Amino acid sequence: MAIDALVSKKAGALALIAATGLSLTSIPAGARPAAPTARQPAAAAHRLPGGLSALAWMVADADTGKVLASHNPHRRLAPASTLKTLFAVTVLPKFPAGHVRQVSAADLAGLGPGSSVVGVRQGRRYTVADLWRGVFLRSGNDAVHVLASMNGGWSATAREMQQTARRLGARDTTVKSPDGYDAPGQVSSAFDLTVFARAGLTNADFARYCATPRAAFPAAGGATVQIENTNRMLVGSHGLPRYPGIIGVKNGYTSKAGNTLVAAARRNGHTLIATVLNPQSGEANGVYKEAGALLDWGFNDVGRGEAVGGAGRPMRSVRSGA
């Protein structure tokens, strides 16, 4: 199985790559084959964790490019706010962090009812970094709308995200709403969302934002408020401890998508990504527990023998000027 990674050419991204173990040479080239076929593990070391109820999931080694295991990796499902990973891969490199935007009514037009928001207000001034913290920490659709407006508008951004997905080899994704808000026909897959996360992690700004547990956000009168990341694995909240080695990436929820999560962690020189879509168990924190179990399994298994699910082929790199 092949996963495309977008490689940033900026010096900051290269510094992050060195720090995390991702490198240009560690992302081998190769063709994207058909979806893997499941098979029984050959040894106890490869036995997958019990209780996995997600409609689709994947765990991959971001360093070597190996997909360690997967279930329905190309099943097309509503992604909820995990689609913001693709939004960030597409738009984040375009605007300097210190650039200031005074928000207009047009910037916030079309915000969906019930959207998650960070509290962006018309007439107030925000840096691009403020807006990205709103996107990654609070999953703020209002911040996405402002950044998309800066990028040429909602429809233009959706089209560009679609082009980015195709360039990365992510063929299961159809973009209708750049913020991940439920929209007819909008789908992605565990495979594609892993593609987007791995591409994003090669960008120093993306990696920093998605790993930030708490930050100050502008409020009225020049004051700030403290915002906390909604990713419970990252923060350690709602009865969950912070996951050891967690470095991001993005969680989501809508009534159509259920709970969705792309989680990346680094331990003992290895970076793994687990993507979990719509667990059916009904258990509290189920999406986080299943992702954590897959990461635990992956860290115990990485470097041993063959991958589960016929998924042992390397990911490939697509170099892009984006």
Side-chain angles (χ1 to χ4, degrees):
M1 175 174 294
I3 294 183
D4 297 331
L6 177 66
V7 179
S8 170
K9 296 181 181 178
K10 296 184 178 179
L14 293 175
L16 173 76
I17 291 167
T20 60
L22 291 169
S23 69
L24 304 184
T25 57
S26 71
I27 307 174
R32 180 181 188 263
T37 55
R39 61 178 174 81
Q40 292 298 316
H46 298 286
R47 193 166 296 130
L48 288 166
L52 297 175
S53 68
L55 296 181
W57 55 261
M58 173 178 283
V59 57
D61 186 329
D63 303 315
T64 65
K66 180 184 286 186
V67 177
L68 301 178
S70 63
H71 171 68
N72 291 333
H74 294 289
R75 181 171 177 176
R76 297 179 179 185
L77 297 165
S81 284
T82 55
L83 193 66
K84 289 180 171 78
T85 55
L86 175 59
F87 175 73
V89 167
T90 303
V91 177
L92 193 153
K94 295 188 174 186
F95 304 103
H99 178 82
V100 175
R101 176 77 167 190
Q102 184 167 5
V103 175
S104 68
D107 289 342
L108 297 173
L111 194 63
S115 285
S116 56
V117 295
V118 67
V120 174
R121 296 289 181 263
Q122 179 183 339
R124 199 169 291 168
R125 294 164 64 84
Y126 301 88
T127 66
V128 165
D130 291 329
L131 295 170
W132 282 115
R133 284 188 284 267
V135 171
F136 277 98
L137 275 69
R138 297 300 302 170
S139 208
N141 290 1
D142 47 356
V144 173
H145 272 258
V146 176
L147 288 162
S149 183
M150 294 169 61
N151 191 54
W154 199 244
S155 296
T157 298
R159 288 193 297 272
E160 189 178 356
M161 289 170 64
Q162 191 71 67
Q163 292 166 1
T164 300
R166 293 299 178 265
R167 185 170 64 247
L168 292 170
R171 300 186 184 98
D172 305 323
T173 297
T174 300
V175 180
K176 299 294 184 179
S177 185
D179 53 6
Y181 191 85
D182 284 339
Q186 179 154 277
V187 292
S188 191
S189 67
F191 180 95
D192 286 8
L193 292 166
T194 306
V195 168
F196 306 146
R198 188 166 185 252
L201 287 171
T202 66
N203 180 294
D205 292 329
F206 182 110
R208 183 174 62 256
Y209 292 132
C210 81
T212 301
R214 297 171 187 84
F217 190 79
T224 61
V225 295
Q226 190 81 354
I227 58 174
E228 184 173 271
N229 203 307
T230 57
N231 182 346
R232 298 176 185 181
M233 283 183 87
L234 179 69
V235 174
S237 66
H238 297 77
L240 279 179
R242 178 179 165 92
Y243 185 81
I246 189 78
I247 58 171
V249 176
K250 191 72 191 74
N251 58 313
Y253 173 81
T254 66
S255 56
K256 182 177 181 181
N259 286 292
T260 60
L261 176 66
V262 184
R266 183 162 179 79
R267 290 194 215 162
N268 301 321
H270 294 282
T271 301
L272 301 186
I273 301 170
T275 300
V276 177
L277 301 181
N278 202 348
Q280 301 294 293
S281 69
E283 183 179 2
N285 293 320
V287 73
Y288 300 103
K289 291 177 180 178
E290 294 190 25
L294 286 167
L295 288 170
D296 286 344
W297 173 85
F299 283 119
N300 288 330
D301 186 78
V302 67
R304 298 183 190 174
E306 298 177 12
V308 173
R313 299 188 183 184
M315 300 182 261
R316 68 182 173 93
S317 173
V318 170
R319 289 162 175 78
S320 168

